[in-house]
Amino acid sequence: MIKVSGLSKIYGEHIAVDDISFEVKEGHIYGFLGPNGAGKSTTMNIITGYVSPTTGTVEVNGYVMGKDTLKAKKSIGYLPEIPPLYPDMTVKEYLTFVAKIKGVAKADREEEIERVMVATDIKDMAKRLIKHLSKGYKQRVGIAQAILGNPKVVILDEPTVGLDPEQIIEVRTLIKSLKGDHTVILSSHILSEISATCDDVLVIANGRMVACDTTENLLKNHKSVKNIRLNVKGDQDKIEEVLKSIEVLDEVKFIENKGEGCVFEVSCEASVDAREDISFALSDARLLILELTEETSSLEDIYLELVKEADEAYAAEMKAIAEGADLDEVFDDNESEDEEKEESTDEKESDADSKED
Ligand code: ADP
Ligand code: MG
């Protein structure tokens, strides 16, 4: 449905998007997750054809952005970070205006506007001036304009930002209802926002894609650590020695003396079940486990870890540059001359399109 290959966007000396590639399948809801400044909006602006990439290509519904730009754009409904609303129009006037721009046939306009107003639950506000709407309703009007014309792909940039908890739930329900008929990509800097609505998550940090998977697989496959807390009866040094001899354990830390035992915290890879090894080793040494609790990483831990790793890699590269390393080597030379030529044509077409919109 959407194919993004080798996308980069460089502003001056700053790399906002750094060689991102992914594919999006029909009918799924994808979450674009990353801290502020990660490059989510820039990537979305490129996918929707509002910003041209420095390198890379975007294909939407078989159409290449920058070549069949108008057709590609027609397949996408977009709610940008700042919804393109006209405050002095009523909701109905605005949606009529959008329907005209999107080329909805005159005979179908009324029905289509009715459909999106029902879908986003804004019928009661049809005659209200947009400037008099609450933030939540404005956001719904923004989503209504995005789904007007029934585009195959709906892209929503931080659709719930600034909404109150009740409105967030309503907008989430609305987004979920788009699934199946539409392919949806939404962005957020909040993990719970993504895990509540999306099938797949694309984690982006410092302009780079650091993970692209289902939330389920992220939890299952990510090599994160599992912490195990133990309370063991016996001599502290002896317990420590036994625990340190267990191969699957990465770290062994004494915490405190508690009641009749010593509390230790040990860790291993999340995919490993170390309970058997621990209990056999301790019982062989005639040490009694009083308590054992396991704590696997949550999706939040994994997300934070991914972002931390990306930050560290980024900091290391910046340091290398500062120390005079070869720029091409550091950035895997993704700016070939051919691509630069392509970019300049993209720029022209994209600019022309932006004016039409
Ligand atoms: P996000 O949406 O994930 O918060 P953005 O895509 O808005 O991130 O921004 C990514 C990076 O690119 C940021 O460091 C931002 O300051 C920079 N950036 C975005 N747009 C521009 C622009 N037009 N000119 C220069 N830098 C920009
Ligand atoms: Mg943004």
Side-chain angles (χ1 to χ4, degrees), residues 246-351:
I246 301 172
E247 232 167 78
V248 291
L249 298 185
D250 299 326
E251 233 178 298
V252 175
K253 204 164 76 191
F254 171 72
I255 305 292
E256 58 172 349
N257 284 304
K258 189 178 152 203
E260 44 180 346
C262 304
V263 177
F264 280 86
E265 212 171 70
V266 299
S267 66
C268 61
E269 265 179 30
S271 56
V272 169
D273 187 354
R275 290 172 303 179
E276 233 172 49
D277 287 357
I278 294 172
S279 86
F280 289 154
L282 289 170
S283 76
D284 281 352
R286 301 200 60 76
L287 295 163
L288 175 68
I289 299 176
L290 301 169
E291 239 180 284
L292 184 155
T293 38
E294 253 190 347
E295 218 179 75
T296 30
S297 346
S298 63
L299 204 52
E300 188 79 45
D301 298 331
I302 294 172
Y303 168 51
L304 292 174
E305 204 180 308
L306 285 168
V307 170
K308 192 171 146 237
E309 275 170 22
D311 277 347
E312 283 166 2
Y314 184 76
E317 274 173 23
M318 290 305 128
K319 192 165 167 260
I321 292 171
E323 285 166 2
D326 184 358
L327 256 175
D328 280 352
E329 228 168 73
V330 173
F331 291 116
D332 239 343
D333 64 278
N334 48 24
E335 297 163 77
S336 78
E337 275 180 25
D338 287 359
E339 281 163 327
E340 266 169 26
K341 259 180 242 147
E342 218 174 89
E343 180 216 344
S344 57
T345 22
D346 283 1
E347 203 103 272
K348 266 181 238 139
E349 285 182 41
S350 192
D351 284 348

Side-chain angles (χ1 to χ4, degrees), residues 41 81 157-158:
S41 298
E81 205 158 25
D157 195 356
E158 306 249 6

Side-chain angles (χ1 to χ4, degrees), residues 66-213:
K67 287 200 178 85
D68 306 305
T69 307
L70 277 184
K71 280 180 183 147
K73 274 193 169 186
K74 225 177 162 152
S75 317
I76 301 181
Y78 185 31
L79 173 69
E81 205 158 25
I82 300 158
L85 302 176
Y86 291 96
D88 291 322
M89 285 184 181
T90 66
V91 170
K92 180 80 185 281
E93 280 166 356
Y94 172 65
L95 293 175
T96 309
F97 165 73
V98 173
K100 281 183 195 163
I101 289 181
K102 289 198 176 187
V104 178
K106 201 168 179 195
D108 304 329
R109 253 178 234 161
E110 198 66 26
E111 199 182 321
E112 180 57 4
I113 291 167
E114 176 78 11
R115 182 188 75 83
V116 299
M117 287 204 294
V118 170
T120 51
D121 201 11
I122 52 173
K123 263 192 86 172
D124 294 347
M125 301 291 153
K127 290 185 181 146
R128 192 79 62 92
L129 284 175
I130 288 177
K131 67 181 170 195
H132 293 153
L133 294 180
S134 67
K135 169 90 181 146
Y137 270 102
K138 277 189 189 135
Q139 203 65 356
R140 286 191 214 193
V141 176
I143 298 175
Q145 66 78 29
I147 62 172
L148 201 146
N150 215 10
K152 281 196 171 287
V153 180
V154 178
I155 297 185
L156 310 167
D157 195 356
E158 306 249 6
T160 56
V161 98
L163 303 186
D164 66 38
E166 208 175 309
Q167 294 166 334
I168 288 178
I169 292 170
E170 285 167 11
V171 169
R172 276 184 191 167
T173 311
L174 169 60
I175 293 169
K176 279 191 203 159
S177 74
L178 300 174
K179 189 179 162 171
D181 294 337
H182 304 269
T183 304
V184 183
I185 305 182
L186 66 99
S187 72
S188 177
H189 59 283
I190 302 161
L191 172 80
S192 56
E193 195 53 52
I194 298 292
S195 55
T197 18
C198 305
D199 310 303
D200 293 77
V201 50
L202 305 125
V203 183
I204 165 169
N206 297 315
R208 290 179 195 170
M209 177 99 86
V210 292
C212 173
D213 216 329

